Amino acid sequence: MTLMKRPLSKRQQTILNYIKDFMGKNSYPPTVRDIQTGCEVSSTSVVDYNLQILQREGYLQRRREVSRGIELLGESAASTLRNLISVPVVGNIAAGEPLPLVNTEQWNDADFDNVDLPPFLTKGKENVFALRVKGESMVDALVGDGDLVLLEPIEQPQNGDMVAAWLKDREEATLKHFFLEGDKVKLVPANSYMQPITVAAANVSVRGRVVGVVRTM
Amino acid sequence: MTLMKRPLSKRQQTILNYIKDFMGKNSYPPTVRDIQTGCEVSSTSVVDYNLQILQREGYLQRRREVSRGIELLGESAASTLRNLISVPVVGNIAAGEPLPLVNTEQWNDADFDNVDLPPFLTKGKENVFALRVKGESMVDALVGDGDLVLLEPIEQPQNGDMVAAWLKDREEATLKHFFLEGDKVKLVPANSYMQPITVAAANVSVRGRVVGVVRTM
DNA sequence: ATTGACATAGTACACCTGTTCTGATAATTT
DNA sequence: AAATTATCAGAACAGGTGTACTATGTCAAT
């Protein structure tokens, strides 16, 4: 979830996300030197310096006298749960805004805000990512402003998959059921009150298969 | 299903319980010397010796090369999961089907299917329950067939809350934003393309406030 | 009594790890 | 430009921490 405290520097954000990721995987907190190498910092003192700031800003608690004495606070603490999958929110999805390209291999979770979800919401997949919906343009997919769409990176969607696609000529992002019909693609809304559209296959750039939607109020 | 393990000695039981307790309180595992003093053992080697046995018997996993490299396994790990909230799916919500009454106090989670959700989806509340949506009648709330609606039991909704309500005369369940206007209730859909309705307050039976929606595909 | 597996003590060592110190660089303010 | 603050780099120290080693005690089976 998006943090709304005083803005953290990029390095502080990276460190915080690294700690979350580490604790999710290892059940014990990282050492200063774990963070140093994991975040590619050149000195332990820099880690210590930024940990002090993260503590002062209330993101974590330290027990200076003991090793690995880091405790995450607030929302950050959720990621200490085992079996949860940390999903990076890599960008927004809106009608006029291009869909961000996701490179599953090279992205670093530490660079994004993360949400921690149970496996049944991510199909157990490790490489699921999320997009935040801006605006009301996805209502025909039963998705509203502020919702989180969970996507599995996919190249070749199956007919019937709900996909996130970029329509090049319309300059529009959309969430619809995908059907390949010859050299055309038929896109069917999730909301049966809306009408399907058919466009040239070359005009459609699929970015991922929708595996879930999450909304909080 | 439970594997018949070899019985643990009193000291091993003590150590195992100490580790659980420690991790529950501190969010990081104890050191060998923490265990030594905490369990009143006279030597670190004795702790090490018993930890080897606990590992061999499958109660925990050790990362010998790192400090505090203890991970609880099996049932022992349950205490690490304490932050996940188990939400019972107490029934369905559909246009013609009455909303099930939920008695927060007496229900037994074991009687229902449960989903385990991270706190950010349940507002951290312990008594959230879920309803499975049947049919397409909730599309004006951006909720489709099969979706899971998360509800917090509530008696007196605030104006603007999204609530699950039963309209007595129409015999219809619905999800809408609630506004009390004198002796009437105005119900506004989440989907701005749909129209609000206004009904007599006595005709509306509110069952809970919607805190989230979850959809998997 | 002897043996051998199990369990416990005490001690010491080597590496892990948090911390501190000094200094340098970058960004921002005066 | 000068001053101030924020951030980073490198190195070194001190105590924390896992582990190894040896010795002792317990107890049942032989």
Side-chain angles (χ1 to χ4, degrees):
Chain A
M1 302 257 49
T2 311
L3 301 163
M4 282 162 295
K5 302 182 181 179
R6 194 180 317 177
L8 296 177
S9 76
K10 179 141 179 47
R11 175 156 285 176
Q12 284 149 17
Q13 191 63 253
T14 303
I15 289 176
L16 186 59
N17 284 331
Y18 177 82
I19 296 172
K20 289 190 206 174
D21 192 52
F22 188 100
M23 293 184 70
K25 287 175 180 164
N26 289 311
S27 84
Y28 46 84
T31 65
V32 170
R33 283 170 180 79
D34 287 334
I35 300 171
Q36 181 191 0
T37 59
C39 298
E40 293 175 341
V41 179
S42 60
S43 173
T44 58
S45 66
V46 176
V47 176
D48 183 72
Y49 169 77
N50 285 287
L51 285 179
Q52 286 182 44
I53 295 174
L54 286 169
Q55 177 170 22
R56 170 160 46 81
E57 298 298 323
Y59 291 90
L60 49 82
Q61 185 67 37
R62 293 183 81 188
R63 300 282 300 278
R64 313 290 302 243
E65 71 277 13
V66 301
S67 68
R68 301 175 189 271
I70 293 175
E71 178 184 3
L72 294 174
L73 298 176
E75 306 176 15
S76 313
S79 62
T80 64
L81 307 174
R82 311 278 297 154
N83 301 351
L84 284 186
I85 293 177
S86 210
V87 175
V89 182
V90 301
N92 298 323
I93 180 169
E97 187 177 323
L99 280 175
L101 275 174
V102 288
N103 187 330
T104 314
E105 301 310 321
Q106 90 172 38
W107 88 38
N108 184 356
D109 280 11
D111 293 337
F112 301 101
D113 279 341
N114 285 11
V115 287
D116 300 301
L117 298 174
F120 85 91
L121 267 172
T122 63
K123 305 291 179 191
K125 300 232 164 63
E126 298 283 350
N127 56 348
V128 168
F129 64 99
L131 292 172
R132 176 82 59 188
V133 174
K134 297 289 183 190
E136 304 286 347
S137 58
M138 306 293 163
V139 289
D140 60 345
L142 296 180
V143 173
D145 187 40
D147 289 5
L148 219 50
V149 183
L150 311 179
L151 295 158
E152 168 192 8
I154 204 172
E155 330 71 35
Q156 220 56 27
Q158 305 281 312
N159 276 352
D161 282 351
M162 166 94 81
V163 299
W166 177 251
L167 303 182
K168 297 171 190 169
D169 59 355
R170 300 189 187 201
E171 291 191 345
E172 190 173 311
T174 188
L175 296 171
K176 291 202 171 55
H177 290 286
F178 176 96
F179 294 94
L180 185 60
E181 298 180 340
D183 61 346
K184 291 198 176 301
V185 170
K186 185 175 166 189
L187 297 172
V188 181
N191 184 340
S192 56
Y193 292 90
M194 305 289 184
Q195 290 303 312
I197 63 175
T198 302
V199 297
N203 187 34
V204 180
S205 173
V206 172
R207 295 301 162 79
R209 191 171 77 88
V210 179
V211 299
V213 177
V214 168
R215 179 182 311 151
T216 61
M217 288 142 181
Chain B
M1 63 151 252
T2 310
L3 197 64
M4 203 52 183
K5 295 178 179 179
R6 198 184 306 184
L8 295 178
S9 74
K10 179 140 177 51
R11 175 155 284 179
Q12 285 149 16
Q13 194 62 255
T14 303
I15 290 177
L16 187 59
N17 286 334
Y18 178 81
I19 296 172
K20 288 190 205 176
D21 189 54
F22 189 100
M23 293 184 71
K25 286 176 181 165
N26 289 311
S27 85
Y28 46 83
T31 66
V32 172
R33 283 172 180 78
D34 287 333
I35 300 171
Q36 181 191 0
T37 59
C39 298
E40 293 176 337
V41 179
S42 61
S43 172
T44 59
S45 66
V46 175
V47 176
D48 183 71
Y49 169 77
N50 285 288
L51 285 179
Q52 285 182 44
I53 295 174
L54 285 169
Q55 175 169 24
R56 170 160 47 81
E57 299 297 323
Y59 290 92
L60 50 82
Q61 183 68 38
R62 292 182 82 188
R63 299 281 302 277
R64 311 293 300 251
E65 71 277 12
V66 302
S67 68
R68 302 175 187 271
I70 293 176
E71 177 185 3
L72 294 175
L73 297 176
E75 307 172 11
S76 313
S79 55
T80 324
L81 293 171
R82 68 192 187 287
N83 297 2
L84 264 190
I85 293 177
S86 212
V87 175
V89 183
V90 301
N92 298 324
I93 178 170
E97 187 177 324
L99 278 176
L101 274 175
V102 288
N103 187 329
T104 313
E105 302 310 320
Q106 88 171 41
W107 84 40
N108 182 355
D109 281 9
D111 294 338
F112 302 101
D113 281 340
N114 283 17
V115 287
D116 294 314
L117 298 174
F120 86 91
L121 269 172
T122 63
K123 305 292 178 191
K125 301 234 163 62
E126 298 285 349
N127 55 348
V128 169
F129 64 98
L131 292 172
R132 177 81 62 185
V133 174
K134 297 289 184 190
E136 303 286 346
S137 58
M138 306 293 163
V139 288
D140 61 346
L142 296 179
V143 174
D145 187 40
D147 289 4
L148 218 50
V149 183
L150 310 179
L151 296 158
E152 168 193 8
I154 204 173
E155 331 70 34
Q156 220 58 23
Q158 304 282 311
N159 274 353
D161 282 351
M162 167 94 82
V163 300
W166 177 250
L167 303 182
K168 297 172 189 168
D169 59 355
R170 299 190 186 199
E171 292 192 344
E172 190 174 310
T174 188
L175 296 171
K176 291 203 172 55
H177 290 285
F178 176 96
F179 293 93
L180 185 59
E181 298 181 340
D183 62 345
K184 291 197 176 300
V185 170
K186 185 175 167 190
L187 297 171
V188 181
N191 184 340
S192 56
Y193 293 90
M194 305 289 185
Q195 292 303 312
I197 62 175
T198 302
V199 297
N203 186 33
V204 180
S205 172
V206 172
R207 296 301 162 80
R209 191 172 77 89
V210 179
V211 298
V213 178
V214 168
R215 179 182 310 150
T216 62
M217 288 142 181

